[in-house]
Amino acid sequence: MTKLKQWTSLGGIGVFAVLLLAVAPLVLTDHWLNNLGKYCCWAIAAVGIGLAWGRGGMLVMGQGVFFALGAYSMAMHLTLESAGDRIPGFMVLYDPLAPLPMFWEPFRSAGFTLLAIVLLPVVVAGILGYALFKRRVKGAYFAILTQALAVALATLISSTIRETGGDTGLSDFKYFFGYVLNDPANKLMVYLIAAALLIVCLLAVRQLYRSRFGELLVATRDAEERVRFLGYDPANVKLVAFVISALMASIGGAMFVPIVGIITPAEIGAAASILMIAGVAFGGRASLFGPALGAMAVGWGQSSLGSTWPEGWTYILGLLFIVVILFLPNGLSSLPARFAARARRSPDQQQPAAVLPAPELEEVKS
């Protein structure tokens, strides 16, 4: 990355931070600011996908698993915080005399909850990635396996109604680490936390792209065997990127819960994971800002068009995905470079060379 690109990317993050943290709260209504916070949560997960897929070549189609780990960890803590010393209401409906499940008890602690949001995805992604990458599982097989895990987890949560709320999910959160969620000032605080976390993730990924690890990751994507011959283990390089991607998905899921106010299996299954992938592909998976902006654009489309025209929105998303793959394989983020390259061409380069007739050609040769 050249010096100009380094400063351009850093300046872009600065402008993005000003827009999210300063301008948006001043010009947007509470409804749209809350929606923007939701888009930021998806963007956090998308930045991680951009690292793993765009730079590492790993099509992670099961990020809903790690999104769920963060989301349900946060939801369980907020549910217990709202219930106080009582058993959560949805559990009482199914079995009034049953005690609180043992795995819920630690989530009464705010510190344990924050630790779980960070460590659970790291441990799960570490074990899963080590098992897959050491066996050199990649390509379509890797994508199918990760997506199958997302489907399996969503099905498991749907079937454990008393422990997780099933298809209804967890909702009706009143407090966020002691702050009343219905207070507009606290809602703004939660939005600012989500937006700030998105900026931090962008800065972290930018630093990774500039580092030696970033170069190794691209080399592993393009020439894995050469990296192995140079003495590096491609499995370890992929594993680090996969774990970081999982951590960002978990953070996005954790902030999604207090902003939206509900988490259900529909938000973590195969469809949700594909929606994240679609946003990354739309924005440009190999760029720094492309995944985040693409995820926010797709989120806006889902909120705006999906609510007014739910059946049509599915077709629009599918058509958009096909068009991007066929005509813009590098996403919308590649458009400025294309326009700049076209502008740099001289008029002589843009016009095809004239074809000389045979007699004139002979004369030129002589």
Side-chain angles (χ1 to χ4, degrees), residues 223-242:
E224 185 172 328
E225 291 303 321
R226 290 188 179 183
V227 172
R228 186 174 286 108
F229 291 151
L230 290 173
Y232 297 98
D233 189 352
N236 294 336
V237 178
K238 289 182 177 181
L239 181 60
V240 172
F242 184 58

PDB file of all heavy atoms in Angstrom, residues 223-242:
ATOM      1  N   ALA A 223      -1.666 -17.942  -4.121  1.00  0.00           N
ATOM      2  CA  ALA A 223      -0.689 -19.005  -4.409  1.00  0.00           C
ATOM      3  C   ALA A 223      -0.367 -19.736  -3.112  1.00  0.00           C
ATOM      4  O   ALA A 223       0.704 -19.546  -2.518  1.00  0.00           O
ATOM      5  CB  ALA A 223       0.571 -18.419  -5.040  1.00  0.00           C
ATOM      6  N   GLU A 224      -1.285 -20.574  -2.681  1.00  0.00           N
ATOM      7  CA  GLU A 224      -1.132 -21.244  -1.392  1.00  0.00           C
ATOM      8  C   GLU A 224       0.089 -22.160  -1.350  1.00  0.00           C
ATOM      9  O   GLU A 224       0.810 -22.209  -0.347  1.00  0.00           O
ATOM     10  CB  GLU A 224      -2.406 -22.035  -1.082  1.00  0.00           C
ATOM     11  CG  GLU A 224      -2.411 -22.680   0.287  1.00  0.00           C
ATOM     12  CD  GLU A 224      -3.754 -23.278   0.644  1.00  0.00           C
ATOM     13  OE1 GLU A 224      -4.783 -22.729   0.194  1.00  0.00           O
ATOM     14  OE2 GLU A 224      -3.771 -24.295   1.357  1.00  0.00           O
ATOM     15  N   GLU A 225       0.331 -22.873  -2.426  1.00  0.00           N
ATOM     16  CA  GLU A 225       1.462 -23.801  -2.442  1.00  0.00           C
ATOM     17  C   GLU A 225       2.799 -23.067  -2.365  1.00  0.00           C
ATOM     18  O   GLU A 225       3.737 -23.539  -1.718  1.00  0.00           O
ATOM     19  CB  GLU A 225       1.401 -24.669  -3.707  1.00  0.00           C
ATOM     20  CG  GLU A 225       0.251 -25.658  -3.724  1.00  0.00           C
ATOM     21  CD  GLU A 225       0.267 -26.592  -2.520  1.00  0.00           C
ATOM     22  OE1 GLU A 225       1.380 -27.008  -2.114  1.00  0.00           O
ATOM     23  OE2 GLU A 225      -0.807 -26.897  -1.979  1.00  0.00           O
ATOM     24  N   ARG A 226       2.893 -21.912  -3.013  1.00  0.00           N
ATOM     25  CA  ARG A 226       4.139 -21.139  -2.939  1.00  0.00           C
ATOM     26  C   ARG A 226       4.403 -20.664  -1.521  1.00  0.00           C
ATOM     27  O   ARG A 226       5.550 -20.645  -1.065  1.00  0.00           O
ATOM     28  CB  ARG A 226       4.063 -19.944  -3.893  1.00  0.00           C
ATOM     29  CG  ARG A 226       4.108 -20.324  -5.369  1.00  0.00           C
ATOM     30  CD  ARG A 226       4.228 -19.084  -6.235  1.00  0.00           C
ATOM     31  NE  ARG A 226       4.288 -19.431  -7.660  1.00  0.00           N
ATOM     32  CZ  ARG A 226       4.453 -18.546  -8.630  1.00  0.00           C
ATOM     33  NH1 ARG A 226       4.577 -17.256  -8.333  1.00  0.00           N
ATOM     34  NH2 ARG A 226       4.501 -18.927  -9.890  1.00  0.00           N
ATOM     35  N   VAL A 227       3.337 -20.256  -0.834  1.00  0.00           N
ATOM     36  CA  VAL A 227       3.497 -19.840   0.561  1.00  0.00           C
ATOM     37  C   VAL A 227       3.998 -21.000   1.403  1.00  0.00           C
ATOM     38  O   VAL A 227       4.863 -20.827   2.275  1.00  0.00           O
ATOM     39  CB  VAL A 227       2.147 -19.305   1.102  1.00  0.00           C
ATOM     40  CG1 VAL A 227       2.236 -19.048   2.603  1.00  0.00           C
ATOM     41  CG2 VAL A 227       1.748 -18.028   0.380  1.00  0.00           C
ATOM     42  N   ARG A 228       3.498 -22.181   1.139  1.00  0.00           N
ATOM     43  CA  ARG A 228       3.945 -23.359   1.875  1.00  0.00           C
ATOM     44  C   ARG A 228       5.411 -23.667   1.588  1.00  0.00           C
ATOM     45  O   ARG A 228       6.175 -24.015   2.489  1.00  0.00           O
ATOM     46  CB  ARG A 228       3.059 -24.550   1.509  1.00  0.00           C
ATOM     47  CG  ARG A 228       3.349 -25.807   2.331  1.00  0.00           C
ATOM     48  CD  ARG A 228       2.351 -26.916   2.047  1.00  0.00           C
ATOM     49  NE  ARG A 228       1.058 -26.636   2.652  1.00  0.00           N
ATOM     50  CZ  ARG A 228      -0.032 -26.286   1.969  1.00  0.00           C
ATOM     51  NH1 ARG A 228       0.033 -26.174   0.650  1.00  0.00           N
ATOM     52  NH2 ARG A 228      -1.162 -26.043   2.590  1.00  0.00           N
ATOM     53  N   PHE A 229       5.820 -23.513   0.338  1.00  0.00           N
ATOM     54  CA  PHE A 229       7.216 -23.763  -0.024  1.00  0.00           C
ATOM     55  C   PHE A 229       8.159 -22.739   0.608  1.00  0.00           C
ATOM     56  O   PHE A 229       9.333 -23.037   0.844  1.00  0.00           O
ATOM     57  CB  PHE A 229       7.386 -23.745  -1.547  1.00  0.00           C
ATOM     58  CG  PHE A 229       6.739 -24.911  -2.235  1.00  0.00           C
ATOM     59  CD1 PHE A 229       6.259 -24.788  -3.528  1.00  0.00           C
ATOM     60  CD2 PHE A 229       6.599 -26.130  -1.585  1.00  0.00           C
ATOM     61  CE1 PHE A 229       5.659 -25.857  -4.171  1.00  0.00           C
ATOM     62  CE2 PHE A 229       5.994 -27.204  -2.216  1.00  0.00           C
ATOM     63  CZ  PHE A 229       5.523 -27.078  -3.508  1.00  0.00           C
ATOM     64  N   LEU A 230       7.651 -21.535   0.887  1.00  0.00           N
ATOM     65  CA  LEU A 230       8.479 -20.504   1.516  1.00  0.00           C
ATOM     66  C   LEU A 230       8.629 -20.703   3.016  1.00  0.00           C
ATOM     67  O   LEU A 230       9.327 -19.923   3.680  1.00  0.00           O
ATOM     68  CB  LEU A 230       7.874 -19.123   1.240  1.00  0.00           C
ATOM     69  CG  LEU A 230       7.976 -18.624  -0.201  1.00  0.00           C
ATOM     70  CD1 LEU A 230       7.203 -17.328  -0.368  1.00  0.00           C
ATOM     71  CD2 LEU A 230       9.433 -18.436  -0.609  1.00  0.00           C
ATOM     72  N   GLY A 231       7.973 -21.716   3.556  1.00  0.00           N
ATOM     73  CA  GLY A 231       8.154 -22.033   4.966  1.00  0.00           C
ATOM     74  C   GLY A 231       7.022 -21.594   5.872  1.00  0.00           C
ATOM     75  O   GLY A 231       7.115 -21.761   7.095  1.00  0.00           O
ATOM     76  N   TYR A 232       5.958 -21.024   5.310  1.00  0.00           N
ATOM     77  CA  TYR A 232       4.802 -20.614   6.104  1.00  0.00           C
ATOM     78  C   TYR A 232       3.706 -21.664   5.986  1.00  0.00           C
ATOM     79  O   TYR A 232       3.568 -22.331   4.954  1.00  0.00           O
ATOM     80  CB  TYR A 232       4.268 -19.265   5.627  1.00  0.00           C
ATOM     81  CG  TYR A 232       5.242 -18.125   5.785  1.00  0.00           C
ATOM     82  CD1 TYR A 232       6.016 -17.702   4.704  1.00  0.00           C
ATOM     83  CD2 TYR A 232       5.383 -17.470   6.995  1.00  0.00           C
ATOM     84  CE1 TYR A 232       6.912 -16.657   4.839  1.00  0.00           C
ATOM     85  CE2 TYR A 232       6.277 -16.412   7.134  1.00  0.00           C
ATOM     86  CZ  TYR A 232       7.036 -16.011   6.045  1.00  0.00           C
ATOM     87  OH  TYR A 232       7.918 -14.983   6.187  1.00  0.00           O
ATOM     88  N   ASP A 233       2.920 -21.779   7.037  1.00  0.00           N
ATOM     89  CA  ASP A 233       1.787 -22.704   7.020  1.00  0.00           C
ATOM     90  C   ASP A 233       0.534 -21.919   6.639  1.00  0.00           C
ATOM     91  O   ASP A 233       0.052 -21.102   7.438  1.00  0.00           O
ATOM     92  CB  ASP A 233       1.606 -23.347   8.387  1.00  0.00           C
ATOM     93  CG  ASP A 233       0.574 -24.475   8.364  1.00  0.00           C
ATOM     94  OD1 ASP A 233      -0.099 -24.636   7.315  1.00  0.00           O
ATOM     95  OD2 ASP A 233       0.436 -25.168   9.375  1.00  0.00           O
ATOM     96  N   PRO A 234      -0.011 -22.123   5.448  1.00  0.00           N
ATOM     97  CA  PRO A 234      -1.217 -21.384   5.045  1.00  0.00           C
ATOM     98  C   PRO A 234      -2.391 -21.605   5.980  1.00  0.00           C
ATOM     99  O   PRO A 234      -3.240 -20.719   6.129  1.00  0.00           O
ATOM    100  CB  PRO A 234      -1.506 -21.930   3.638  1.00  0.00           C
ATOM    101  CG  PRO A 234      -0.217 -22.495   3.159  1.00  0.00           C
ATOM    102  CD  PRO A 234       0.474 -23.011   4.369  1.00  0.00           C
ATOM    103  N   ALA A 235      -2.457 -22.770   6.615  1.00  0.00           N
ATOM    104  CA  ALA A 235      -3.561 -23.050   7.534  1.00  0.00           C
ATOM    105  C   ALA A 235      -3.569 -22.071   8.699  1.00  0.00           C
ATOM    106  O   ALA A 235      -4.630 -21.591   9.120  1.00  0.00           O
ATOM    107  CB  ALA A 235      -3.468 -24.487   8.037  1.00  0.00           C
ATOM    108  N   ASN A 236      -2.397 -21.742   9.221  1.00  0.00           N
ATOM    109  CA  ASN A 236      -2.315 -20.796  10.338  1.00  0.00           C
ATOM    110  C   ASN A 236      -2.705 -19.387   9.903  1.00  0.00           C
ATOM    111  O   ASN A 236      -3.362 -18.649  10.659  1.00  0.00           O
ATOM    112  CB  ASN A 236      -0.902 -20.788  10.916  1.00  0.00           C
ATOM    113  CG  ASN A 236      -0.537 -22.112  11.572  1.00  0.00           C
ATOM    114  OD1 ASN A 236      -1.418 -22.851  11.989  1.00  0.00           O
ATOM    115  ND2 ASN A 236       0.745 -22.417  11.640  1.00  0.00           N
ATOM    116  N   VAL A 237      -2.300 -19.003   8.710  1.00  0.00           N
ATOM    117  CA  VAL A 237      -2.655 -17.674   8.193  1.00  0.00           C
ATOM    118  C   VAL A 237      -4.170 -17.565   8.034  1.00  0.00           C
ATOM    119  O   VAL A 237      -4.792 -16.578   8.447  1.00  0.00           O
ATOM    120  CB  VAL A 237      -1.941 -17.420   6.850  1.00  0.00           C
ATOM    121  CG1 VAL A 237      -2.345 -16.058   6.287  1.00  0.00           C
ATOM    122  CG2 VAL A 237      -0.429 -17.496   7.018  1.00  0.00           C
ATOM    123  N   LYS A 238      -4.774 -18.582   7.442  1.00  0.00           N
ATOM    124  CA  LYS A 238      -6.224 -18.585   7.270  1.00  0.00           C
ATOM    125  C   LYS A 238      -6.942 -18.602   8.612  1.00  0.00           C
ATOM    126  O   LYS A 238      -7.970 -17.938   8.787  1.00  0.00           O
ATOM    127  CB  LYS A 238      -6.650 -19.798   6.442  1.00  0.00           C
ATOM    128  CG  LYS A 238      -6.270 -19.751   4.983  1.00  0.00           C
ATOM    129  CD  LYS A 238      -6.800 -20.996   4.289  1.00  0.00           C
ATOM    130  CE  LYS A 238      -6.510 -20.976   2.805  1.00  0.00           C
ATOM    131  NZ  LYS A 238      -7.049 -22.184   2.135  1.00  0.00           N
ATOM    132  N   LEU A 239      -6.388 -19.362   9.536  1.00  0.00           N
ATOM    133  CA  LEU A 239      -7.029 -19.497  10.846  1.00  0.00           C
ATOM    134  C   LEU A 239      -7.125 -18.159  11.564  1.00  0.00           C
ATOM    135  O   LEU A 239      -8.163 -17.824  12.145  1.00  0.00           O
ATOM    136  CB  LEU A 239      -6.247 -20.500  11.693  1.00  0.00           C
ATOM    137  CG  LEU A 239      -6.797 -20.793  13.087  1.00  0.00           C
ATOM    138  CD1 LEU A 239      -8.201 -21.369  12.998  1.00  0.00           C
ATOM    139  CD2 LEU A 239      -5.871 -21.735  13.840  1.00  0.00           C
ATOM    140  N   VAL A 240      -6.049 -17.374  11.514  1.00  0.00           N
ATOM    141  CA  VAL A 240      -6.063 -16.064  12.175  1.00  0.00           C
ATOM    142  C   VAL A 240      -7.132 -15.162  11.557  1.00  0.00           C
ATOM    143  O   VAL A 240      -7.915 -14.517  12.275  1.00  0.00           O
ATOM    144  CB  VAL A 240      -4.675 -15.408  12.083  1.00  0.00           C
ATOM    145  CG1 VAL A 240      -4.727 -13.972  12.588  1.00  0.00           C
ATOM    146  CG2 VAL A 240      -3.657 -16.212  12.877  1.00  0.00           C
ATOM    147  N   ALA A 241      -7.207 -15.123  10.225  1.00  0.00           N
ATOM    148  CA  ALA A 241      -8.209 -14.295   9.549  1.00  0.00           C
ATOM    149  C   ALA A 241      -9.613 -14.773   9.867  1.00  0.00           C
ATOM    150  O   ALA A 241     -10.529 -13.965  10.084  1.00  0.00           O
ATOM    151  CB  ALA A 241      -7.968 -14.305   8.045  1.00  0.00           C
ATOM    152  N   PHE A 242      -9.811 -16.077   9.907  1.00  0.00           N
ATOM    153  CA  PHE A 242     -11.130 -16.647  10.202  1.00  0.00           C
ATOM    154  C   PHE A 242     -11.567 -16.308  11.622  1.00  0.00           C
ATOM    155  O   PHE A 242     -12.730 -15.967  11.867  1.00  0.00           O
ATOM    156  CB  PHE A 242     -11.079 -18.160   9.998  1.00  0.00           C
ATOM    157  CG  PHE A 242     -12.395 -18.856  10.166  1.00  0.00           C
ATOM    158  CD1 PHE A 242     -13.495 -18.504   9.393  1.00  0.00           C
ATOM    159  CD2 PHE A 242     -12.537 -19.873  11.088  1.00  0.00           C
ATOM    160  CE1 PHE A 242     -14.706 -19.153   9.541  1.00  0.00           C
ATOM    161  CE2 PHE A 242     -13.744 -20.535  11.248  1.00  0.00           C
ATOM    162  CZ  PHE A 242     -14.832 -20.172  10.468  1.00  0.00           C
TER     163      PHE A 242
END
